[in-house]
Amino acid sequence: AKAAPPLAPSPPCSAMALFDHVATAPPDPILGTSIAYNADTDPRKINLGIGAYRTEVGKPYVLDCVQKAEEKVLAETGTSVNKEYSTIDGPPKLKTLTQQLIFGDDCPAVAEGRIASTQALSGTGSLRVVGEFIKTFMKPESHEIWVSNPTWGNHNAIFAKSGLAVKTYPYYKPETRGFDFEGMLGALKADVPEGAHVLLHACAHNPTGVDPTEEQWREIAAVMKERNLVPVMDSAYQGYASGSLDKDAFATRLFMSMGFEFYMCQSFAKNLGLYGERIGMLHVVCGSADAAKAVLSQLKMVIRPMYSSPPIHGALLVERILGDPDSLAAWKTELTGMADRILEVRSLLRKGLEEKGTPGTWNHITDQIGMFSYTGLTEQQCERLIGEHHIYLLKSGRISLAGLNKGNMQYMVDSVDEVVRACPA
């Protein structure tokens, strides 16, 4: 047989300029913090950037109830459990269980079929689906969403990528390191146009750890109801903030009881420790069962070209934990333990700084709630904590309290004291 002619030499790489114009993106501020931490060889280093729970000895934690659910799933794999594609919107049983968890066992909307629910790629995925749905199906004048200032760093990008106009309402008051209730209420009354969407953190506000009181929630809901504002609720910390699933659902159930139609984005990354499973739900509370059916059909049309169908493993775990009374009770116990550890860390950090006489006031550390604290440290102080003390945090002063424990608390207190004195605000 005649030999094939030799291949022509490849052109030099410099001639292949298809991607030369693509600039390198800046590192994500949160993920970039972890990269820098991992590269640091100092034995004293502390990572307070990433929002993931850690044990008292600083290790990632797989909940016991999750491990037991894994064993059940493994035992059923090959019989009642397989690796086929899920449906676009996830298992029907998962919908009912997660609705009852967030809205309450006795919620009329659940019984009446007025909630369109679909599994989603954790909280981020459910928010993205909401953005696409609003852009596609809601009236053009409602294509804007108001988020708190500050908010989780990804919120703005998610909604902007969906084609919505993203605007901010006041939320955090630096002078008190607390909630700017008057500022938020004033914006809802005067600045946010009727029919606009308003993003609300259901509990444990990220990044500030500052939540409205129950009475303040009632006033916020009343103003939103009067002005026909549409809530988009983000629930990432139910049960993890206070240790009580019901207490942390107060705001959600308040809006439900007042007859709102709204969106609820529900994540199980934090409260079940299923960070890498990407398991969440999107619930759309509608005025009728017929409306819910129509909304669900269109949510599936949004999801199909986006990622087609959700992953099954996280859904199987959540089903087995929420659907079994013993597993549910065990989870509640573990949640209380996780929340109590974070509350203890808050108490120890405040006590340490106050006893050391660190300049400033530190009551806000225990006034805030959830995984994060807005410390009030300046950017210069944060940079010094990173550069001189190997303590990694966001330059906004936000810290993840899960990274602290009794073993590193004194070093944290001493380091904060040093930077506050070295770089006065």
Side-chain angles (χ1 to χ4, degrees):
K2 190 175 180 180
L7 295 174
S10 298
C13 289
S14 59
M16 301 173 68
L18 181 61
F19 301 110
D20 284 1
H21 67 286
V22 179
T24 301
D28 181 275
I30 298 175
L31 302 182
T33 298
S34 288
I35 292 171
Y37 168 83
N38 290 334
D40 192 332
T41 58
D42 193 290
R44 301 168 299 172
K45 67 180 182 178
I46 304 175
N47 186 0
L48 305 181
I50 198 73
Y53 184 78
R54 293 291 182 265
T55 65
E56 178 60 30
V57 293
K59 301 297 184 183
Y61 180 50
V62 180
L63 277 68
D64 289 342
C65 65
V66 169
Q67 295 190 56
K68 288 182 170 62
E70 292 274 16
E71 292 169 2
K72 292 178 183 177
V73 170
L74 183 60
E76 297 168 20
T77 300
T79 53
S80 58
V81 171
N82 57 49
K83 298 298 182 182
E84 296 290 308
Y85 291 117
S86 180
T87 56
I88 296 174
D89 50 341
K93 182 181 178 182
L94 180 69
K95 297 184 182 189
T96 303
L97 291 170
T98 55
Q99 286 173 2
Q100 291 171 337
L101 181 73
I102 190 68
F103 300 116
D105 291 332
D106 56 353
C107 175
V110 175
E112 295 162 8
R114 292 194 289 108
I115 306 174
S117 296
T118 177
Q119 188 184 337
L121 303 180
S122 201
T124 302
S126 57
L127 289 160
R128 188 69 164 85
V129 172
V130 167
E132 292 285 341
F133 182 85
I134 292 171
K135 181 67 175 179
T136 305
F137 295 103
M138 298 295 100
K139 295 177 181 178
E141 55 268 28
S142 69
H143 290 178
E144 67 179 51
I145 186 162
W146 289 68
V147 303
S148 62
N149 181 23
T151 192
W152 176 49
N154 215 13
H155 278 147
N156 295 301
I158 289 169
F159 293 118
K161 285 290 186 182
S162 302
L164 303 184
V166 182
K167 301 184 179 180
T168 61
Y169 58 83
Y171 189 86
Y172 179 74
K173 189 179 288 187
E175 312 88 79
T176 62
R177 294 167 188 162
F179 180 37
D180 186 0
F181 176 57
E182 295 77 14
M184 178 179 178
L185 210 62
L188 294 178
K189 289 178 178 178
D191 300 333
V192 183
E194 287 202 21
H197 295 79
V198 178
L199 181 79
L200 301 169
H201 298 232
C203 69
H205 184 273
N206 180 3
T208 68
V210 174
D211 281 3
T213 64
E214 292 187 0
E215 185 52 42
Q216 288 170 335
W217 270 123
R218 290 187 179 94
E219 292 190 52
I220 290 166
V223 170
M224 291 184 65
K225 186 74 172 176
E226 180 184 352
R227 303 204 60 243
N228 297 314
L229 304 178
V230 183
V232 177
M233 302 198 80
D234 187 352
S235 178
Y237 299 95
Q238 185 187 0
Y240 189 177
S242 69
S244 166
L245 289 163
D246 292 326
K247 183 175 181 180
D248 292 346
F250 172 82
T252 300
R253 295 175 187 177
L254 171 68
F255 279 80
M256 175 69 85
S257 70
M258 293 177 64
F260 279 87
E261 294 183 273
F262 66 102
Y263 307 86
M264 161 52 66
C265 300
Q266 181 184 31
S267 168
F268 294 98
K270 303 294 196 300
N271 57 10
L272 268 170
L274 298 176
Y275 306 98
E277 300 294 352
R278 310 313 295 143
I279 172 66
M281 295 294 295
L282 167 59
H283 307 287
V284 185
V285 180
C286 304
S288 69
D290 288 341
K293 289 177 184 176
V295 167
L296 178 59
S297 72
Q298 295 296 355
L299 287 172
K300 291 193 283 188
M301 296 301 288
V302 170
I303 292 168
R304 176 63 171 150
M306 188 182 287
Y307 56 86
S308 190
S309 62
I312 61 172
H313 193 73
L316 291 169
L317 296 176
V318 173
E319 269 191 11
R320 276 148 187 76
I321 293 168
L322 299 188
D324 176 73
D326 291 338
S327 297
L328 180 59
W331 177 41
K332 290 178 179 179
T333 299
E334 287 189 86
L335 263 179
T336 301
M338 291 163 66
D340 285 350
R341 194 185 92 72
I342 298 300
L343 290 171
E344 182 184 32
V345 165
R346 287 186 180 277
S347 178
L348 290 172
L349 180 57
R350 175 183 175 179
K351 180 182 178 184
L353 292 168
E354 290 179 343
E355 287 184 349
K356 196 171 184 69
T358 304
T361 58
W362 302 101
N363 59 289
H364 59 280
I365 293 173
T366 53
D367 292 342
Q368 296 165 4
I369 193 169
M371 181 181 287
F372 301 111
S373 175
Y374 236 40
T375 59
L377 296 173
T378 66
E379 183 172 345
Q380 186 181 15
Q381 291 165 348
C382 293
E383 289 174 346
R384 188 173 178 88
L385 272 179
I386 296 168
E388 298 292 329
H389 299 280
H390 310 274
I391 295 175
Y392 292 85
L393 71 166
L394 300 192
K395 293 181 182 179
S396 63
R398 189 206 82 168
I399 62 171
S400 173
L401 293 152
L404 293 174
N405 54 62
K406 295 184 184 72
N408 61 23
M409 182 62 72
Q410 191 59 52
Y411 180 65
M412 175 67 177
V413 168
D414 293 343
S415 299
V416 171
D417 182 79
E418 192 279 331
V419 302
V420 169
R421 295 181 191 278
C423 309

